[in-house]
Amino acid sequence: MDTNFHIDTRPLPVLFLLKYKAFLFLLVLGGVFLHLMSLQSPIDGLTQQGYFALVIFVLSVILWVTNVLPLAITSLLVMGLLSTYQVLDNDTIYSFFGDSAIFFILGAFMITAAVSSTGLSRRVAYVVLGRFGRTPFRIVLNVFLLAAVMSLVMPTHAVAALMYPLLMEIAKALNLKKGDRLGKFMFFALCWGAVIGGVATFLGGARNPLAVGMLQSRTGIEIGFTQWFVAVGPIALGMMLFAVVLLHRAAKLKKRTLDLSAVRQEISLLGKFTFNEAKAAVILIVTLYMWVFHGSTVGIANIALISAAMFFVLGAVTWEEMARQINWGTVFMYGGAITLGKSLTGSGVLEWLLETHLVSLQLGPLVLFMLVAAASIILTEGISNAAVVGMLMPLVMEYSAVFGFDPRLSAYMVAVPSGLSFMFPMGTPANAIAYSSGFYTLRESAIYGLILNLAAWAIFVLMAALYWPLLGLQLV
């Protein structure tokens, strides 16, 4: 038997550094952190607890950006460090993990996991594409629209994960090769649609309820499901129209009739509409109704948890089926982000930062809005959008409180742009899933993504300046 061996001839120190680079980075970072934490109030005007909170915040940003540790582990580490250095009382720090935003996120994850487990979401995807995808551009358009609509009620990464195998089957049935224009823009349509649709409701991603939860915890002001959709829905629609135009002009697909027999075969294999799918559809419809019309009185977190429980009451899913699809790490991550944000406020860091640096700038609401939106879009291309919300929301809320801006603007100006990641695979799981298809290059993703980022920022600012005043949200 012939066996091919490869001997790595690189120097041993190089191999050691490559093997243990993450450990060595953490070792150096840990040493710097311990040295900084040993200093006694080195910054004028900042208390010792405030200084500790600031150093821990910088550490968390570095770990979030480099992703050398899982995001959830970084958030749990933050909570442990805040408690160890007594930035706030221990019971207070850990009580933040009981924030209603955390339980809304958990409830939303449970609902979407149940809808997926019953097969309802898969049936909808196959039926829509099987019936409305007869030409190349119609496939691209319907992939985009289906991803956008589904991400209104499902997390963007769940939409991408659900539709990815379907699109790969379509590509296989049509004998598409890597780099084929139809395959390329089919997967662009997947991630773009999921990203844009995901900003319009609380279900497209946890960053929106995270921002709303942080706003409510700090100010007592609650933004309901309907309020959010009315404010952000038209903005998402404007972005969708631009993305459709970009898809049409960039793809330049020839008109021809496609054979979608493979998709129709999958539809036939699904069989008749099952009783569990019917249960899931009814629960989902009732949940959306309650969020839209009774979210402000009953509470969106309460509705999410009760709805999630109804899937078990009606026997639509088992715990094992649901637990496999819930991203528990995300729940931990958001708990840490909320804790860090409140610690920065409680220890006086944000007040100090405003008084010593930002007050002198005297930024108006519109200028602040433009800068924060741009910063959110830029940051979310490299780090988790939830991490962006965790970093920027406390600062923007503090600035708004000092200068008397409408506090609701804080949630909108941070959460919406932080969900608009188009350029790089690491920006959002939806991008990463689509990129893994191999139908387009990183360079192509960056070029088209930059166009979408610039357009999204312009549409967001323009619509907010012209449309939001009609809703009582004044930017000027």
Side-chain angles (χ1 to χ4, degrees), residues 10-33:
R10 288 175 293 181
L12 187 60
V14 173
L15 295 176
F16 180 82
L17 289 174
L18 292 175
K19 177 69 175 179
Y20 297 102
K21 59 182 178 182
F23 170 76
L24 294 174
F25 174 78
L26 289 173
L27 190 64
V28 173
L29 184 63
V32 174
F33 171 79

Side-chain angles (χ1 to χ4, degrees), residues 69-127:
L69 290 178
L71 298 180
I73 299 302
T74 296
S75 294
L76 293 177
L77 175 63
V78 164
M79 295 183 69
L81 291 174
L82 290 171
S83 179
T84 299
Y85 286 96
Q86 299 181 340
V87 173
L88 294 176
D89 179 74
N90 286 353
D91 292 338
T92 301
I93 290 174
Y94 289 110
S95 69
F96 294 148
F97 208 84
D99 193 280
S100 61
I102 302 299
F103 287 94
F104 171 75
I105 293 167
L106 179 59
F109 279 173
M110 293 175 73
I111 291 170
T112 55
V115 171
S116 177
S117 295
T118 59
L120 177 63
S121 52
R122 179 177 296 274
R123 181 181 296 276
V124 171
Y126 276 120
V127 169

